[in-house]
Amino acid sequence: VRVAYLAGKARTPQPSLRGGLVRYRPIIAVRVSGPGGTWILDGLLDSGSDDTIFPEWVAAMIGVDLTIAVEHDIQLAGRGKPLRCRFLPITLRITDGIQETYEWEAVAGFVAVPLRCPLLGQAGFLEYFDLTFQGADHSALLSPNPTFAGKRI
Amino acid sequence: MNFVPEEHYRNRAQFPQAELAKFYGKEVAWSLDGTRIVASGDDPRTVCAAVQKAGVPSDEVVLGYVPFPDEVVLGGAWLAEAEDAK
């Protein structure tokens, strides 16, 4: 699956871009399903995130019951106070809309903070794919690896 | 309707900035082709409710946050920022 980065235009020149204005972000549409619904969300391909994390409102929208989730504190780097996270299996799907669609079950974490964008991290997401960030092309390539146990649709 | 993410995000990137400015800092629901904002709000739950009220199937929109133009995205730092905001 080829993921074209989402271009966002800054108002003022960005020092890190040597005065450039366009930010390219590896945002991918991820279809999230549970027993009570399906929604498509922007997700950030975040190779620096250990886990795949959604804000709790997503759990409510797809009908998963967080009261039966496994609760686990996640320690944020450089911070003293851990963040309570509730983990449950959900169904994720990505597609290029042309020839590749992959669906699998992932144990994702849900946090009770207004996370701007789900973090598609190693556990539950990137562990199943070989990922290449193609900076010059402003795109990423995701290919299922041998650990992918979901289905190709 | 077939959903082609590359087309969706390309169209979003070309969404008129003057129009998009109305949604900076908001949660929105984009049409599948990325040319229209179907619903918006400060709370994603109200955005979802508006989508449902409009009779649009939940898998025929893409939910996302519209960052301010000079907002810098630092991935997991969102978690810390959100925790601080509580």
Side-chain angles (χ1 to χ4, degrees), chain B:
Chain B
M1 182 179 176
N2 190 36
F3 175 47
V4 181
E6 188 158 348
E7 179 185 291
H8 171 88
Y9 288 112
R10 185 172 56 241
N11 286 336
R12 274 172 56 172
Q14 293 170 354
F15 196 79
Q17 284 296 314
E19 182 66 16
L20 191 65
K22 298 174 189 167
F23 302 98
Y24 292 156
K26 302 279 188 193
E27 303 284 343
V28 304
W30 291 91
S31 61
L32 277 192
D33 64 6
T35 61
R36 290 180 301 114
I37 290 175
V38 175
S40 68
D42 292 324
D43 186 329
R45 284 162 288 216
T46 62
V47 175
C48 292
V51 168
Q52 290 171 323
K53 191 175 177 187
V56 178
S58 63
D59 60 353
E60 290 193 7
V61 293
V62 178
L63 303 173
Y65 166 74
V66 180
F68 288 92
D70 287 342
E71 192 169 332
V72 176
V73 173
L74 295 174
W78 267 322
L79 283 171
E81 175 193 308
E83 180 71 358
D84 286 346
K86 276 207 305 184

Side-chain angles (χ1 to χ4, degrees), chain A residues 6 12-13 21 33 37 44 48 54 62 76 85 90 107 123 134 136 143 146 148 153:
Chain A
L6 176 60
T12 58
L21 290 172
S33 299
L44 182 70
F54 292 88
I62 63 170
L76 302 177
C85 194
I90 57 173
V107 176
Q134 306 181 126
S143 304
F148 179 74
I153 298 169

Side-chain angles (χ1 to χ4, degrees), chain A residues 39-87:
Chain A
W39 290 83
I40 304 172
L41 312 170
D42 284 347
L44 182 70
L45 289 174
D46 189 351
S47 61
S49 177
D50 286 339
D51 288 322
T52 294
I53 305 289
F54 292 88
E56 274 192 1
W57 64 264
V58 175
M61 297 312 300
I62 63 170
V64 293
D65 180 4
L66 289 179
T67 65
I68 59 168
V70 175
E71 293 198 8
H72 186 74
D73 286 344
I74 54 176
Q75 188 69 47
L76 302 177
R79 299 176 67 84
K81 188 180 166 196
L83 184 63
R84 175 55 53 96
C85 194
R86 297 196 272 181
F87 290 87

Side-chain angles (χ1 to χ4, degrees), chain A residues 12-24:
Chain A
T12 58
Q14 302 294 295
S16 59
L17 297 175
R18 300 166 303 283
L21 290 172
V22 182
R23 297 280 192 188
Y24 292 96

